[in-house]
């Protein structure tokens, strides 16, 4: 099988590199040999735990799904299957996956726009306040618990005693799978209970953001092995820059001067924090720095693509947030399950949970927090808009940093604390400037409308 051959080739190549790096001299001292061996262990660890090797294996696993599917979709479009397919469940399913319902797309977009104009949301001030409190508490509870458990699962040495050193849970992909499958089930449950707009998008288009979402989550989990959680949270805060750049590539967006200013302030604050704050999660600082930076960079690239691609789908097809949640998590489950089964990671993770039952509850709570957090995100944006949501998540990030520092004793110098203040000051400045701009635009539109009325 191609996948097995590729795996063996990767392992053999790594072994050959390690062998060639060993000196040929017979009279090598024991101290030199010990130094060389410790260096190899420091750089590579065991072959199965080398993150770059696991990344290649994951990509090979995803390719066993993506490549055949891409070839099939290309063939079906070439022969115009949607015009020649007959009735029945299977042909309709194929058309839904590959072609969607393009003939109904314009009608759905127009219907959604008219509904938004004719049915404005009207709530009392007290009702709005209660909803805001519920959303805030839901977001804080879900993601603060999720963040702490995420770090605990990836850094705890399970089963550690005075005689046994313990072992860490290393399969990040299994955690991603558990989070996504529960989110998919929860989204389906909401779709069944609540009326949703007619779905017209081809299902395969969800796979792009699904893949990037999986990879961003994988990089995020892996980064916890090399950087502290506060560093990772601040890296998330700096993802505004890659999101802006990705928006220019995908959506051809343009940005105001204050957006570039706040992005630069955030980058400066994050850099100050990274350069002055130590990382206590690993002893090997050099390896930690290189691996952590690479993984955080991958996280930001994939995450920025996910949000921009989903924005394009919302704009083009006017699906609901719950439909988006279900579609993305459907393909995420498919990708991660296939890769886990091919690598044997699913069985290994189950065996690990059997050896250490305490991790089962932690993974379950982690998945519940991830799924409910997605629901609160979608609901908050739909009810109060992205500005209010951004303020909530900014508060959450700050709480997550200090909570992790208190629980896990991550060091933070005075300069690092100043960097944190710069980051959050920039984010609040961005929110304020954006809100002021929207008020000005609304006033200009109202003035233009009044002018048109007076002319009539």
């Amino acid at each position: 099988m191609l996948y097995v051959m590729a795996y063996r080739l990767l392992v053999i190549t790594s072994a050959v590199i390690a062998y060639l790096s060993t000196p040929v001299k017979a009279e090598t001292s024991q101290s030199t040999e010990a130094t060389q061996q410790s260096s190899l262990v420091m750089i590579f660890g065991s072959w199965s735990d080398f993150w770059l090797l696991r990344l290649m294996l994951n990509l090979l696993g995803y390719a066993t799904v993506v490549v055949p599917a891409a070839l099939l979709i290309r063939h079906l479009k070439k022969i115009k299957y949607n015009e020649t397919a007959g009735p029945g469940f299977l042909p309709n399913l194929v058309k839904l996956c590959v072609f969607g319902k393009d003939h109904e797309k314009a009608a759905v977009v127009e219907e959604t726009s008219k509904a938004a104009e004719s049915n404005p949301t009207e709530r009392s001030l007290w009702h709005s306040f209660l909803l805001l409190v519920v959303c805030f508490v839901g977001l804080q509870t879900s993601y603060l618990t999720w963040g702490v458990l995420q770090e605990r699962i990836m850094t705890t040495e399970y089963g550690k005693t005075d005689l046994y050193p313990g072992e860490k849970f290393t399969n990040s992909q299994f955690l991603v799978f558990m989070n996504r499958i529960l989110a998919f089930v929860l989204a389906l449950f909401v779709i069944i209970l609540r009326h949703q707009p007619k779905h017209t998008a081809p299902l395969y288009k969800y796979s792009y953001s699904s893949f990037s979402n999986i990879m961003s989550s994988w990089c995020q989990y892996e980064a916890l092995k090399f950087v502290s959680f506060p560093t990772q949270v601040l890296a998330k805060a700096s993802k505004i820059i890659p999101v802006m750049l990705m928006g220019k590539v995908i959506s051809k967006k343009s940005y105001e001067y204050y957006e570039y200013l706040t992005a630069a302030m955030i980058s400066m604050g994050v850099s100050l924090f990274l350069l002055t704050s130590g990382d206590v999660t690993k002893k090997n600082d050099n390896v930690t720095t290189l691996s952590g930076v690479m993984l955080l960079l991958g996280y930001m690239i994939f995450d920025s693509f996910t949000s921009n691609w989903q924005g394009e789908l919302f704009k083009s097809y006017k699906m609901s947030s719950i439909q988006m949640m279900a579609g993305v998590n459907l393909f995420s489950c498919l990708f991660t399950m296939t890769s886990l089964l091919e690598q044997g990671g699913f069985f290994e993770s189950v065996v690990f949970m059997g050896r250490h039952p305490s991790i089962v509850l932690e993974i379950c709570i982690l998945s519940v927090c991830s799924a409910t957090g997605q629901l609160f995100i979608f609901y908050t944006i739909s009810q109060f808009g992205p500005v209010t949501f951004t303020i909530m998540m900014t508060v959450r990030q700050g709480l997550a940093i200090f909570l992790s520092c208190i629980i896990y004793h991550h060091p933070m110098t005075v300069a690092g604390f100043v960097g944190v203040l710069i980051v959050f000051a920039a984010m609040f400045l961005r929110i304020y400037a954006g809100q002021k701009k929207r008020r000005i635009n609304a006033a200009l539109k109202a003035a233009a409308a009044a002018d048109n009325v007076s002319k009539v």
Side-chain angles (χ1 to χ4, degrees):
M1 185 178 179
L2 180 61
Y3 176 79
V4 178
M5 293 177 61
Y7 171 80
R8 291 175 179 174
L9 180 61
L10 284 172
V11 175
I12 292 174
T13 302
S14 302
V16 169
I17 293 174
Y19 174 77
L20 292 177
S21 64
T22 304
V24 182
K25 294 181 180 181
E27 298 180 357
T28 304
S29 64
Q30 292 182 353
S31 60
T32 303
E33 292 179 357
T35 302
Q36 292 171 349
Q37 292 176 0
S38 63
S39 298
L40 289 173
V41 171
M42 179 182 68
I43 296 174
F44 294 106
S46 62
W47 303 117
S48 60
D49 289 335
F50 184 32
W51 69 268
L52 186 58
L53 176 62
R54 289 201 307 275
L55 174 62
M56 297 301 296
L57 294 178
N58 290 343
L59 293 177
L60 286 172
Y62 301 148
T64 60
V65 177
V66 173
V67 174
L71 294 175
L72 180 60
I73 291 173
R74 182 180 180 183
H75 174 71
L76 293 174
K77 288 186 174 181
K78 185 177 181 180
I79 64 174
K80 298 181 179 179
Y81 181 80
N82 58 325
E83 298 178 2
T84 59
F89 173 76
L90 185 59
N92 288 331
L93 179 61
V94 172
K95 288 191 292 183
L96 180 63
C97 292
V98 179
F99 302 97
K101 298 179 179 179
D102 286 335
H103 60 285
E104 301 179 7
K105 176 182 174 182
V108 171
V109 172
E110 183 179 357
E111 180 182 350
T112 304
S113 300
K114 289 182 179 179
E117 295 176 358
S118 60
N119 297 314
T121 303
E122 296 183 357
R123 288 194 303 261
S124 65
L125 181 61
W126 179 247
H127 187 200
S128 298
F129 175 75
L130 288 179
L131 281 179
L132 190 62
V133 170
V134 170
C135 291
F136 180 82
V137 173
L139 283 169
Q140 304 311 311
T141 303
S142 299
Y143 280 103
L144 282 175
T145 308
W146 175 82
V148 173
L149 279 176
Q150 175 186 246
E151 182 173 18
R152 174 179 173 79
I153 292 173
M154 300 306 297
T155 59
T156 299
E157 295 177 343
Y158 291 93
K160 184 177 182 180
T161 61
D162 294 337
L163 301 177
Y164 179 66
E167 56 180 335
K168 292 184 178 181
F169 186 82
T170 59
N171 198 328
S172 306
Q173 190 173 204
F174 182 79
L175 295 181
V176 175
F177 169 74
M178 293 299 296
N179 290 348
R180 298 301 178 262
I181 193 170
L182 186 57
F184 174 66
V185 172
L186 187 59
L188 286 182
F189 184 71
V190 174
I191 288 175
I192 293 173
L193 292 181
R194 299 188 63 181
H195 174 72
Q196 303 292 322
K198 184 173 292 186
H199 188 271
T200 61
L203 292 181
Y204 82 90
K205 290 194 174 183
Y206 290 113
S207 64
Y208 298 114
S209 57
S210 175
F211 174 76
S212 60
N213 185 259
I214 290 173
M215 294 307 301
S216 67
S217 297
W218 187 88
C219 291
Q220 178 184 357
Y221 282 124
E222 289 294 314
L224 281 176
K225 303 174 185 177
F226 303 96
V227 297
S228 64
F229 183 68
T231 303
Q232 190 186 78
V233 171
L234 284 172
K236 294 179 185 179
S238 69
K239 69 182 180 182
I240 296 176
I241 295 178
V243 167
M244 292 170 65
L245 296 177
M246 194 68 70
K248 281 184 170 292
V249 174
I250 296 178
S251 306
K252 310 298 181 184
K253 293 182 179 178
S254 59
Y255 299 96
E256 301 292 334
Y257 289 111
Y258 76 85
E259 294 178 293
Y260 290 106
L261 174 63
T262 54
M265 290 177 61
I266 290 172
S267 299
M268 182 177 65
V270 172
S271 300
L272 184 62
F273 181 86
L274 291 174
L275 291 174
T276 59
S277 298
D279 187 352
V280 299
T281 59
K282 284 286 179 178
K283 294 182 180 180
N284 302 320
D285 293 336
N286 294 332
V287 177
T288 297
T289 302
L290 178 60
S291 299
V293 169
M294 292 176 65
L295 288 166
L296 288 177
L297 181 62
Y299 160 75
M300 289 188 289
I301 292 174
F302 285 117
D303 190 71
S304 60
F305 174 85
T306 301
S307 58
N308 280 285
W309 182 259
Q310 290 177 349
E312 281 297 300
L313 290 182
F314 277 125
K315 181 179 178 181
S316 301
Y317 295 98
K318 303 296 182 183
M319 74 276 290
S320 70
S321 299
I322 300 300
Q323 289 172 333
M324 173 71 74
M325 179 177 172
V328 170
N329 284 292
L330 169 64
F331 283 96
S332 297
C333 293
L334 178 62
F335 287 147
T336 52
M337 173 58 81
T338 302
S339 182
L340 284 170
L341 291 177
E342 290 177 344
Q343 297 181 38
F346 189 86
F347 177 75
E348 292 177 359
S349 300
V350 172
V351 172
F352 186 95
M353 291 189 294
R355 291 197 301 268
H356 309 287
S358 61
I359 197 177
V360 177
L361 180 60
E362 294 173 355
I363 292 178
C364 290
I365 298 176
L366 183 77
S367 301
V368 170
C369 292
S370 176
T372 54
Q374 289 187 47
L375 286 177
F376 279 112
I377 287 175
F378 296 140
Y379 185 77
T380 303
I381 293 175
S382 64
Q383 297 296 318
F384 300 101
V387 174
T388 304
F389 169 72
T390 305
I391 294 175
M392 289 182 178
M393 298 308 287
T394 302
V395 174
R396 181 190 72 83
Q397 290 176 344
L399 291 175
I401 290 174
F402 291 108
L403 184 61
S404 180
C405 286
I406 292 173
I407 295 177
Y408 296 102
H409 307 290
H410 294 304
M412 181 179 292
T413 62
V414 175
F417 182 74
V418 172
V420 174
L421 294 180
I422 292 175
V423 168
F424 292 118
M427 294 185 70
F428 278 109
L429 175 62
R430 187 183 184 91
I431 294 169
Y432 170 77
Q435 193 173 23
K436 185 176 180 181
K437 179 186 174 183
R438 276 185 286 274
R439 286 199 300 264
I440 293 174
N441 291 337
L444 291 175
K445 288 182 180 179
D451 186 53
N452 292 333
V453 172
S454 62
K455 288 180 180 180
V456 173

